[in-house]
Amino acid sequence: MTNDIPLAWFLYFAAASFAIGLTGVLLRRNAIAVLMAIEIMLNAANVNLVAFWRYGPPSSAQAAGAMPGVILAIFVITVAAAEVAVGIGLILLCYRRWHAADVDQYDTMSG
């Protein structure tokens, strides 16, 4: 099964996903869209983690324990979920205050 799809395809996909996410973060002004672009970038990192775990040498995977790449990807997903929860809370708070989701208007965060 590991020879069905080459590792390079996963790396190309992850690089493209990361580039799309980075473009979204740099170009979008809507806070929700920026948050979604960050999620795309984190998922690109997850694709790389799982792909390197799957295509890595089998002896290192057995010596390191149970699926270190997958466990690290699950950790990243958990951190991303916490980041989304905090981000949505901040965006809702800013929206209530300034009635806008534009990140350019969030430059004055002081009271």
Side-chain angles (χ1 to χ4, degrees), residues 4-84:
D4 292 344
I5 301 173
L7 175 63
W9 289 20
F10 289 104
L11 299 180
Y12 292 144
F13 174 73
S17 297
F18 190 85
I20 290 170
L22 184 63
T23 303
V25 167
L26 294 176
L27 297 180
R28 298 299 301 242
R29 294 292 145 229
N30 188 331
I32 299 294
V34 170
L35 203 58
M36 290 188 330
I38 291 171
E39 291 298 317
I40 291 172
M41 292 169 57
L42 289 173
N43 283 328
N46 283 339
V47 168
N48 275 339
L49 287 172
V50 173
F52 281 123
W53 165 76
R54 183 69 178 112
Y55 286 90
S59 62
S60 66
Q62 292 172 352
M67 303 188 297
V70 174
I71 291 173
L72 191 56
I74 290 171
F75 179 72
V76 170
I77 291 170
T78 305
V79 169
E83 174 249 335
V84 165

